[in-house]
Amino acid sequence: MHVTTHGTESGPPVLLIHGNCSSSGFWEPLVRHLPPHWRIAAPDLRGYGDSPALGVDATRGLRDFADDVAPLLRAMAEESGRPVTVVGHSLGGGVAMQLLLDQPEAIGALVLEAPVSPYGFGGTRDLDGTPTTPDYAGTGGGSANPDFVRLLAAKDRGTDDQASPRNVMRAFYAAPGFDFGADEELLLDTMLSTAVAEDQYPGGGTPSENWPGMAPGERGVLNTLSPRYLNLTGIVDVPVKPPITWIRGDQDAIVSDSSFFDLAQLGKLGLVPGWPGDEDCPPQPMVGQTRAVLQRYAEQGGSFREVVYEGVGHSPHIERPEQFAAVLREIVGD
């Protein structure tokens, strides 16, 4: 596993876990604003950046990713003599929650930035994560836009196709109209580092009798996020409960209660034909689900705070790096 490091070995340990279709380089706009003496480690998850594409067993949820990162987390805690502040973005937020389930004693604080719902992505209908169909139809690898997957595999850097990686980044990785400026090529590089394969990104689907006609497969990244395999609500019961800070933007179009990446929401908007309606297949209340689980976490002896940035989309650490860094300084302390 490739790991990008910053700072000094004696500094407070901070582990940064990137999200889907990106890599450790996606943290660079934030790292510039962090104290230079912090011991920062940012791994490339398998199949991203400079780490090998080992394939992903989706039936394990996000455990393949978490198992890869766990030795790094333990080493950082042991070498520094203190627990680690773990920051996870989007899919990386799910990996961070899985690490909390597996290694709670190694984590001093958890920062969840626009995290996937603890109930997974898509296919659930209420704050308790009730499935909309028994086979979790509409979730997993088959839900990916095939044009985006094709252009991602081709490492397309253009803007001619609406589904090009650059256009997707501009439209959804931040709030509408955000200017990535000089960082745009760097951030696009992280997207294009994604390994596209049946057992990596996005993963395959299986036929379903339920709308929209496909259900998750057993291999690949998007299938790891399906609620068929992913349930992180066990964080409520971990014996050691580090404080959790949940950071999100109010204009997030990816992780929201009306996500443009949720096929139920697209069906409701008339963009995917045959939608069965709100009673049978409502959009997933992603934000509400996360809040409900974190409230239970607090009721069971933990603590959390929710930080919401107005006018910000899916990547607060890029859209508001100075403010995000200030929050981290409060958490890390030195």
Side-chain angles (χ1 to χ4, degrees):
M1 184 174 66
H2 177 264
V3 181
T4 300
T5 59
H6 303 270
T8 62
E9 293 185 1
S10 60
V14 178
L15 176 62
L16 305 176
I17 307 173
H18 68 80
N20 194 15
C21 293
S22 63
S23 72
S24 60
F26 207 72
W27 293 109
E28 288 301 317
L30 171 67
V31 170
R32 299 177 194 135
H33 297 274
L34 299 180
H37 69 282
W38 284 8
R39 178 58 167 170
I40 297 171
D44 288 335
L45 300 176
R46 61 170 65 189
Y48 300 97
D50 292 326
S51 287
L54 303 179
V56 181
D57 180 356
T59 66
R60 304 185 71 236
L62 292 169
R63 290 183 180 88
D64 278 1
F65 295 124
D67 287 351
D68 290 344
V69 176
L72 173 62
L73 171 65
R74 291 194 298 269
M76 293 177 72
E78 292 169 1
E79 290 171 1
S80 65
R82 62 178 111 178
V84 180
T85 298
V86 178
V87 185
H89 177 225
S90 196
L91 175 147
V95 176
M97 284 186 268
Q98 185 64 56
L99 287 171
L100 177 58
L101 287 168
D102 299 338
Q103 310 283 336
E105 69 288 340
I107 299 175
L110 197 64
V111 180
L112 303 176
E113 179 191 7
V116 61
S117 163
Y119 291 103
F121 198 96
T124 57
R125 65 167 57 249
D126 52 30
L127 298 186
D128 294 327
T130 303
T132 55
T133 62
D135 63 353
Y136 301 92
T139 70
S143 67
N145 182 326
D147 290 330
F148 171 71
V149 174
R150 172 178 57 83
L151 294 165
L152 185 68
K155 301 190 182 302
D156 182 275
R157 306 186 73 93
T159 58
D160 292 341
D161 195 305
Q162 184 178 6
S164 74
R166 188 185 299 273
N167 285 338
V168 168
M169 184 175 74
R170 288 176 176 177
F172 298 109
Y173 277 39
F178 177 76
D179 183 3
F180 290 96
D183 286 322
E184 180 161 303
E185 299 308 317
L186 164 68
L187 298 175
L188 182 60
D189 286 343
T190 73
M191 290 186 72
L192 298 180
S193 76
T194 303
V196 177
E198 185 174 349
D199 65 350
Q200 198 65 55
Y201 180 86
T206 58
S208 172
E209 296 180 355
N210 299 301
W211 183 88
M214 62 81 191
E218 296 185 347
R219 304 284 297 177
V221 175
L222 293 189
N223 291 315
T224 69
L225 297 172
S226 168
R228 179 178 181 180
Y229 308 119
L230 185 64
N231 188 316
L232 300 166
T233 61
I235 63 172
V236 169
D237 300 315
V238 292
V240 179
K241 289 185 170 67
I244 295 177
T245 301
W246 173 27
I247 303 177
R248 64 182 184 88
D250 68 349
Q251 300 297 311
D252 193 338
I254 297 178
V255 176
S256 78
D257 290 348
S258 53
S259 169
F260 283 97
F261 287 69
D262 180 359
L263 289 187
Q265 174 66 15
L266 296 181
K268 185 172 184 175
L269 295 174
L271 300 176
V272 179
W275 179 62
D278 267 320
E279 183 175 349
D280 293 326
C281 191
Q284 179 189 9
M286 302 179 188
V287 172
Q289 288 176 348
T290 297
R291 185 179 296 114
V293 170
L294 293 182
Q295 287 172 343
R296 288 165 50 201
Y297 181 86
E299 291 167 0
Q300 295 300 316
S303 65
F304 87 96
R305 63 168 169 159
E306 181 178 354
V307 179
V308 183
Y309 294 132
E310 295 184 3
V312 170
H314 189 59
S315 304
H317 77 274
I318 290 173
E319 298 170 77
R320 298 285 191 275
E322 294 182 2
Q323 294 178 27
F324 197 102
V327 172
L328 281 188
R329 288 192 187 95
E330 293 175 14
I331 295 168
V332 176
D334 52 2

